[in-house]
Amino acid sequence: MSKPYNRLDIDQAVVLLVDHQAGLLSLVRDFQPDQFKNNVLAVADLAAYFKLPTILTTSFEEGPNGPLMPELKAQFPDAPYIARPGQINAWDNPDFVAAIKATGRKQLIIAGVVTEVCVAFVALSAIAEGYEVFAVTDASGTFNAVARDAAWNRMSSAGVQLINWFGVACELHRDWRRDVEGLATLLANHIPDYRNLMTSYGAFKGAHRDPQAA
Amino acid sequence: MSKPYNRLDIDQAVVLLVDHQAGLLSLVRDFQPDQFKNNVLAVADLAAYFKLPTILTTSFEEGPNGPLMPELKAQFPDAPYIARPGQINAWDNPDFVAAIKATGRKQLIIAGVVTEVCVAFVALSAIAEGYEVFAVTDASGTFNAVARDAAWNRMSSAGVQLINWFGVACELHRDWRRDVEGLATLLANHIPDYRNLMTSYGAFKGAHRDPQAA
Amino acid sequence: MSKPYNRLDIDQAVVLLVDHQAGLLSLVRDFQPDQFKNNVLAVADLAAYFKLPTILTTSFEEGPNGPLMPELKAQFPDAPYIARPGQINAWDNPDFVAAIKATGRKQLIIAGVVTEVCVAFVALSAIAEGYEVFAVTDASGTFNAVARDAAWNRMSSAGVQLINWFGVACELHRDWRRDVEGLATLLANHIPDYRNLMTSYGAFKGAHRDPQAA
Amino acid sequence: MSKPYNRLDIDQAVVLLVDHQAGLLSLVRDFQPDQFKNNVLAVADLAAYFKLPTILTTSFEEGPNGPLMPELKAQFPDAPYIARPGQINAWDNPDFVAAIKATGRKQLIIAGVVTEVCVAFVALSAIAEGYEVFAVTDASGTFNAVARDAAWNRMSSAGVQLINWFGVACELHRDWRRDVEGLATLLANHIPDYRNLMTSYGAFKGAHRDPQAA
Amino acid sequence: MSKPYNRLDIDQAVVLLVDHQAGLLSLVRDFQPDQFKNNVLAVADLAAYFKLPTILTTSFEEGPNGPLMPELKAQFPDAPYIARPGQINAWDNPDFVAAIKATGRKQLIIAGVVTEVCVAFVALSAIAEGYEVFAVTDASGTFNAVARDAAWNRMSSAGVQLINWFGVACELHRDWRRDVEGLATLLANHIPDYRNLMTSYGAFKGAHRDPQAA
Amino acid sequence: MSKPYNRLDIDQAVVLLVDHQAGLLSLVRDFQPDQFKNNVLAVADLAAYFKLPTILTTSFEEGPNGPLMPELKAQFPDAPYIARPGQINAWDNPDFVAAIKATGRKQLIIAGVVTEVCVAFVALSAIAEGYEVFAVTDASGTFNAVARDAAWNRMSSAGVQLINWFGVACELHRDWRRDVEGLATLLANHIPDYRNLMTSYGAFKGAHRDPQAA
Amino acid sequence: MSKPYNRLDIDQAVVLLVDHQAGLLSLVRDFQPDQFKNNVLAVADLAAYFKLPTILTTSFEEGPNGPLMPELKAQFPDAPYIARPGQINAWDNPDFVAAIKATGRKQLIIAGVVTEVCVAFVALSAIAEGYEVFAVTDASGTFNAVARDAAWNRMSSAGVQLINWFGVACELHRDWRRDVEGLATLLANHIPDYRNLMTSYGAFKGAHRDPQAA
Amino acid sequence: MSKPYNRLDIDQAVVLLVDHQAGLLSLVRDFQPDQFKNNVLAVADLAAYFKLPTILTTSFEEGPNGPLMPELKAQFPDAPYIARPGQINAWDNPDFVAAIKATGRKQLIIAGVVTEVCVAFVALSAIAEGYEVFAVTDASGTFNAVARDAAWNRMSSAGVQLINWFGVACELHRDWRRDVEGLATLLANHIPDYRNLMTSYGAFKGAHRDPQAA
């Protein structure tokens, strides 16, 4: 009756960042803007930190949808970058799927805008082909909370796992001893409350353990 | 363990608009009124745009429930129109079911008022007969968010897929290249933020790509 | 892949009203008090209207939990009334189960206070014994929305169907022609917006179709 | 101790529409987008309906702030249109103030984006010069409800009157007999619930009093 | 620096019920419907209980606005009833003002739909003529909480006192000993939590102090 | 144009605890129950800590309103305790006013249930007699946030100052050096986040500065 | 089609308290702080009351995460206490799993901070090994409600049962007659509304049944 | 009747940053943490950008309150820094007041933690001495929205002006032509939606006007 708990694994996971474009981002209203930007950059940072293969894709970036967030381009200069000529579901783009297959990995960590389309369509397609799919709930945004709830329901019903970026980071890291400084820096750079804890801790100890902000 | 992802298909889908009547609309309080009206008209517009067979039905329209929204009648003058003499579940009306069967299609896109009755009863009946059922979450309204949550839970547990109108439009369209102007117009007419993007884009380019508002 | 849609049936359904006691009602904060009282009385009214066997039970009513809402006692003077001597899960009380079995019915409509205990425990026990169980979401209350969400999740995962009183009434009634006046009165007495529709309708028509308030 | 109640007067009022530009509109998050667009167009419609002098102004419209909403331009082709070269407070622009003074009127109805700057700065400047100032609360938007609350507080403390577009329309109209059809059309075009009432009323009466939608 | 606290006085107060009409009630969304209906009936009950002169007025009741709530008509069969032929501000109707003046009283308790028009316009007019004005906050409704906040701000800035029906009842009653049974009945009939307290109290005491429900 | 800032002063302030009775507390829904109880006990603790004269009063405590919270009785065994025989406004009770006058103090810190009656009536009466009045916003509760907002508006318009218990404590204490341990204990006992800070601080320092919980 | 309802059983259940540390607690924002602290202490109290084996664990308690809540340490001085040297998922710590196995029990009641990591990882691992897992929803906290919703979804999809502390207590107790005083004390100490009921009840009866507060 | 509108002036304004300490920040719950941190840094950036004299102060920074946010120290290395030895109201610290007076300026822009104490006490003291006081609403935080509302009310009643950081920046800047690049950079660095507009604008124009992120 119980089945194995397949954790996210740094040797099995790929990160797919789908359509975080300047125009489309203005549609996102299920998160407060500062919070959403921070969450997207946190996913990017964790992908970089764990050296996960990362694939970028955009939809019509020369039109109203606008260009990809410059921070993402800057962080992954060598990542596969698929500017889709028209496919709404990135999975319909052979280059996108090929880039995933080229990694040989089976765990997909997906974030995108908007949740019910750019994330859900890819997620459902990937599940259907046997991938383990993790939708990053807080780095994927849409028009409002009602739209989000429906998108989550549809993905979850199909077997997609819902997880926030913090959960992804912790499930990948597994043990603080793997790199205390690295994980602490990642958390402090994206969780103000955690940085506060580290600031106080550093002051109390008279030590200089506060990681440098990005 | 994985099953195929059967997408909404313009050759397989039928749209069922159930009981969007002037009186019943006053019961809807899980959406803000401007938003809900816009969502219902968006479903009508997408049905027309994708030329999906569309079926209208009402419950006791000569009584307090009131007449169908005039915009819907106007948009689908030739659609099957079943003014039910009493059946609460439209599926209990043989003409309604016959109209669906006459299309030979197996994907039902349902929106209606109120969600837990006019939408859910039809959805559950259709699932039981083997249809693929998609409830349009944001063009279906009810008394409050708690009522909506329960209705979604009951439908989802039975296999109904929950999806907002934007998701429906995008899953049907599949590729922007199918008709860029058409989809952009549909979106801009019902998503103010998207129209803003197009207005700015048009101004920046000095072009006149902004589609005409309805 | 699809299974039959077993609707609530006036010949199969029993109503269980569990622990709507004056003291316990003060614990309910996931509904606004006017709304919750109205919902509970609506379930009572529909039980009476559809002549469904109805079973009342209380927990320690002579202590702080307080007596049953007097309106319920008054409405069902001849119903089985099980003042439990201590069992928290009413299903643990043989008289309660015996009263259900005596009806020979298999569909249980349950409402109670608080949701995660008085409703959920009975619902889970009944599901385990093969009953079809419907939890009346808006006539069952608890400490806050978070408690409600968890209780719904636990029940739904076990196969309990979540449905509000309006859904129950409509699924039982099936066709307005069964008794237009009766259903309209039930709705108007518990849905102010529906009464408003009827008031306007009556005035416009110059008729006196507005059902008498209770 | 009491002072006169100076009502909005169709012979004394001017409408100022400040910076409803496509880019700036994407910053507005204290209203749901469908609702806000509707409210802004309602103010434009009431200005046109009551033939109030109307003044349009924009800030840097050729830059990221984007062009004025095309609907506003279209509705007031002959209105003074001040594309400010840099002044953030429109009152600092002599042409803007001159346009107001040219009307000879003393009641200013102001709506704009964002509330605490484009509306509040003009409102505070105008109050200081002895105008009666009415800020249209629901056609003025900003980053979030907290920003709105502070902006309202600052304006109200200075003597600005807060009023929504519906209040403006009703205070100007004063008596339905002035033009029943006209006011009803204005309301129905921007209040879905009011249109529903008119649709039902029209149907019940068998008359065709439902005003044409725009 | 301090001024006298002029309390509501049963010999000085008049109740004005403005436009609680079946159609207009469907516009009210800043209160949950069960709650709002209860609040309006509570004001009516307190007016009757304290034998306050009460004046009813409606706006275009033969049109879409609909007839007055039947409960109000029934409760005040002999009250002045001004069906206004067109004036939006009831104060513009000479019969309405005459009815107030005929009472010789100076404290006006006003409730109505919608708050920013039917209540605020009357309130501002009355303040300007030297009346003490009390707006009943929870028996006056409007489109949403933002509209309510602005209406409250405008009234409060002009000197109107904001008070809910419970405050009105308690300020009028002053001392429980004036009539314990009467006030308790009024409260229990409109505050479910208070009825629960009385039910438990009655049960504990073995007494029959629970007042009869209406 | 500026007036002096009269701070709360430990030699001038009196604490009035009005009607925190077991029955009436069940009416309070504008605060979450754990939070409200904590706030009330915090006011009691600060009154005791600063040795402020404290006056307790109740309304009909032998009836459904129920007895005073036992914790308050226990904490102030020798305080004036006025069980009012019927006056709703405690200021109408001569013993209550006499108890205040006996202190010779002019700053009243008032908390009670419910806000718009038990707190506001006393506050307005006291303002009218020239007292400085501080309503403790978070130790005063009522039916819902709308009721609270109106009550605050009425009190504030009359000159009552709104302040939470934390503000009261800090304004009275003025300087940490007056008693570091004492204030820290008060805060930690009623602000879980502050206790967490002290727990971490104590652990980091290896010291035992964490004050004992009550 | 139905499966047995395995209730929580005092002879089968173990309580796991995971990472309720002073620093991590400052990250919890999906509950109000007073409420969350109360909930955590309620779980501790019920574990002690039912004499359930209880296991404590912390993550890096000498760093910014801070020490365990002192109240938990104090309440379970002899419980297994696993200060994990680095494992994020407590299940990866052999001592933690060994402590669970040593109890020979199969029902795990888990509460912790934060929900999607410290609770979910343990829960998923335990489910995979065949345990029955109950996540205590209101004694587990995280960054915000969106994070909670996703965490619940992931756990529930894997078979974890969601239940609040009140549900746990009632399911374990089963019958009030097992120990009326004990359960009443537990409830009254952590549910202010329940204490109010008992206070009133005690006063009405003239008895001293109010259990002593902790 | 009207009084002059004294705008914030770069030659008259001083910025006071009060107690933004790592420990105290964990108490702030009326803003989402990412948002609050961003707002505080925005005030710091605008102070630096407009070269406003800026004064830093802390309360007991070596204790649980924790050290000042390192970013603030880093940005104003030469600013007066008053580590108060105990005064809760910074105005009671002579060095703090002296630092203000040394600037010779009369407009105080205050932000701090927590709002009702660290901000309000200073604001009320400064108003009493004739300063113009502006409380930065969104860079001042407290326990919850109810605490904030009361603090705003108290300050506003005393003449403090409430304004968010965006309003401060715009009122100081006055005209875009003063420095287009500078203001745009400030806005883009702290308003994600504004950066998106600039990103799209830059891409459309093929220009590189997007200011560098900090």
Side-chain angles (χ1 to χ4, degrees), chain F residues 1-8 30-31 35 134 137-138 148-149 152-153 156 160-164 166-177 180 183 191 193-194 197-198 201 205, chain H residues 3 22-24 26-29 59-60 62-65 85-89 91-92 114 116-117 120-122 124-125 127-130 142-144 146-147 149-151 153-154 157-158:
Chain F
M1 211 168 138
S2 53
K3 55 176 186 176
Y5 164 34
N6 286 334
R7 307 183 192 188
L8 279 167
D30 60 332
F31 290 95
Q35 184 184 26
F134 299 79
T137 49
D138 50 359
R148 177 177 65 208
D149 288 348
W152 285 18
N153 181 290
S156 172
V160 177
Q161 297 193 57
L162 306 177
I163 187 165
N164 60 354
F166 182 73
V168 170
C170 291
E171 192 156 315
L172 287 165
H173 199 73
R174 299 207 177 167
D175 196 310
W176 276 92
R177 291 167 296 186
V180 173
L183 184 61
I191 305 175
D193 283 332
Y194 205 79
L197 291 176
M198 293 183 68
Y201 175 72
K205 287 297 188 199
Chain H
K3 56 175 187 176
L24 296 177
S26 79
L27 307 178
V28 174
R29 286 170 177 255
S59 167
F60 260 149
E62 77 289 357
N65 293 351
Q87 300 96 343
I88 292 177
N89 180 348
W91 204 267
D92 288 344
V114 301
E116 70 270 31
V117 171
F121 290 2
V122 173
L124 295 170
S125 296
I127 281 278
E129 298 204 9
T142 183
F143 301 101
N144 50 54
V146 178
D149 288 348
N153 181 290
R154 194 180 187 208
S157 296

Side-chain angles (χ1 to χ4, degrees), chain G residues 3 14 22 28 41 50 74 84 87-88 94 110 157 162 165 170 175 194 202:
Chain G
K3 55 176 186 174
V14 186
V28 174
L41 297 182
F50 290 111
R84 307 194 306 280
Q87 301 96 342
I88 293 177
I110 311 177
S157 297
L162 306 177
W165 75 259
C170 291
D175 196 308
Y194 205 79

Side-chain angles (χ1 to χ4, degrees), chain B residues 31-138:
Chain B
F31 290 95
Q32 190 271 338
D34 300 318
Q35 183 184 27
F36 189 65
K37 180 182 177 183
N38 181 36
N39 292 344
V40 173
L41 297 182
V43 172
D45 275 3
L46 77 82
Y49 172 65
F50 290 110
K51 297 186 173 43
L52 302 181
T54 300
I55 298 168
L56 306 173
T57 182
T58 58
S59 166
F60 260 151
E61 68 179 47
E62 77 289 355
N65 293 352
L68 188 65
M69 280 174 70
E71 295 90 340
L72 297 185
K73 268 191 222 172
Q75 190 153 21
F76 303 101
D78 304 323
Y81 183 107
I82 291 94
R84 306 195 306 281
Q87 301 95 342
I88 292 177
N89 180 346
W91 204 267
D92 288 344
N93 183 298
D95 296 338
F96 182 74
V97 175
I100 294 167
K101 293 199 168 155
T103 66
R105 295 174 170 222
K106 297 300 276 182
Q107 293 183 326
L108 307 186
I109 297 167
I110 311 177
V113 171
V114 300
T115 312
E116 70 271 30
V117 172
C118 306
V119 178
F121 290 1
V122 174
L124 296 171
S125 297
I127 282 277
E129 298 204 9
Y131 287 85
E132 293 173 55
V133 179
F134 299 80
V136 188
T137 49
D138 51 359

Side-chain angles (χ1 to χ4, degrees), chain A residues 61-62 66-67, chain B residues 205, chain H residues 197-210:
Chain A
E61 68 179 47
E62 77 290 356
Chain B
K205 286 298 188 199
Chain H
L197 291 176
M198 292 183 69
T199 299
S200 287
Y201 175 72
F204 292 151
K205 287 297 189 199
H208 295 284
R209 303 209 182 167
D210 189 4

Side-chain angles (χ1 to χ4, degrees), chain C residues 155-172:
Chain C
M155 289 194 284
S156 172
S157 298
V160 177
Q161 297 193 57
L162 305 178
I163 187 165
N164 61 354
W165 74 259
F166 182 74
V168 171
C170 291
E171 192 155 313
L172 287 165

Side-chain angles (χ1 to χ4, degrees), chain C residues 17-32:
Chain C
L17 298 177
V18 185
D19 302 353
H20 291 101
Q21 296 167 251
L24 295 177
L25 285 165
S26 79
L27 307 179
V28 174
R29 286 168 178 257
D30 61 332
F31 290 96
Q32 190 271 337

